[in-house]
Amino acid sequence: MDLFEFREEYIKGGLERADLDENPFAQFGKWFGHACDCGLKEPNAMVVATASPDGMPSARVVLLKSWDERGFVFYTNYHSAKAKDLDANPRASIVFLWLDLERQLRISGKVEKVSTAESLRYFLSRPFGSRLGAWVSHQSSIITSRSLLEMQFDKMKRKFADGKIPLPDFWGGYRVKPERFEFWQGRANRLHDRFEYNLDESDPSGKKWNIERLAP
């Protein structure tokens, strides 16, 4: 198969400095809201990239479950491969790709665990089966067969038949606290529009962002 012919011209819009909010979280809200309004499937899907202590990068797709000016939150098993990376190197990059809008967004920064109360609030909002699944899966560990997984699921289903499923102590959320945003809008002839927000380290409030256009 010749991939050289896989080619799309991006012509749906542009991005100018005047279009951008001074606050990157507000700008994210505009783009995310637009993706939702357009009916894109799982607009909250994002790639989370981490690195091991020896520098080996690893990336996977997760779902954004909340965000505010503190950062962007996803949930996982605290014994998973990504959690081990974050324990050793608490920094990450996340990427949203809204291909139908010819847009992507890159965010990078430090990572911290959310509070137990915040994890519990989200955990209780999950469907019954998803809460059971958090107890069943020792994420990233090797298993011999799917049938073993299903047996464990049935066991947990009987154990918590009353529907009262506690929050596992090995499961919860992480918050990516942004230090950098990059908003990318596809343009014709691969002359894409890219704008980078970086925290102004000289600002005592810690809330001022410098905005610069990047070459495509």
Side-chain angles (χ1 to χ4, degrees):
M1 179 182 294
D2 185 356
L3 302 184
F4 289 1
E5 299 307 315
F6 280 44
R7 186 171 290 112
E8 293 286 340
E9 194 69 272
Y10 299 141
I11 57 173
K12 289 188 176 179
L15 187 62
E16 298 295 337
R17 174 64 180 85
D19 300 329
L20 296 170
D21 196 287
E22 296 300 314
N23 184 326
F25 295 98
Q27 184 62 40
F28 172 82
K30 292 177 182 178
W31 272 26
F32 184 70
H34 187 203
C36 293
D37 292 343
C38 289
L40 302 190
K41 187 173 182 179
E42 296 199 294
N44 60 325
M46 62 184 189
V47 175
V48 173
T50 57
S52 66
D54 63 358
M56 176 61 71
S58 183
R60 74 291 288 163
V61 178
V62 303
L63 297 177
L64 175 70
K65 285 302 177 181
S66 67
W67 68 277
D68 55 28
E69 294 208 10
R70 294 175 297 167
F72 296 81
V73 177
F74 65 93
Y75 292 85
T76 188
N77 187 303
Y78 284 148
H79 297 160
S80 65
K82 69 177 95 51
K84 291 176 181 177
D85 280 357
L86 291 171
D87 284 345
N89 180 16
R91 304 185 71 85
S93 289
I94 57 180
V95 181
F96 293 89
L97 175 63
W98 299 303
L99 194 56
D100 287 350
L101 302 177
E102 299 174 354
R103 287 176 172 173
Q104 67 173 314
L105 170 61
R106 300 169 61 201
I107 301 169
S108 57
K110 297 177 182 178
V111 181
E112 64 183 15
K113 288 182 178 178
V114 306
S115 68
T116 300
E118 194 170 347
S119 291
L120 178 60
R121 186 162 57 249
Y122 170 65
F123 184 76
L124 294 177
S125 76
R126 302 182 94 201
F128 179 73
S130 296
R131 281 178 281 153
L132 285 179
W135 277 96
V136 170
S137 175
H138 300 287
Q139 196 174 57
S140 303
S141 63
I142 296 172
I143 58 175
T144 56
S145 69
R146 180 171 182 84
S147 61
L148 179 63
L149 197 64
E150 292 171 345
M151 286 172 58
Q152 285 295 105
F153 186 86
D154 289 339
K155 179 181 177 181
M156 289 296 174
K157 193 173 182 179
R158 292 191 298 272
K159 180 177 180 178
F160 299 121
D162 62 359
K164 297 177 181 178
I165 308 173
L167 173 70
D169 60 5
F170 53 81
W171 190 96
Y174 284 103
R175 176 176 286 109
V176 180
K177 299 167 65 67
E179 297 174 347
R180 178 185 181 274
F181 290 76
E182 183 194 314
F183 291 84
W184 182 101
Q185 176 70 59
R187 294 296 297 270
N189 303 311
R190 296 299 187 264
L191 297 179
H192 312 306
D193 290 323
R194 298 172 60 194
F195 284 92
E196 178 182 70
Y197 291 72
N198 281 291
L199 269 176
D200 186 342
E201 295 182 359
S202 67
D203 177 44
S205 73
K207 295 183 178 180
K208 182 181 178 182
W209 296 82
N210 297 319
I211 307 173
E212 297 176 302
R213 179 185 278 273
L214 303 179

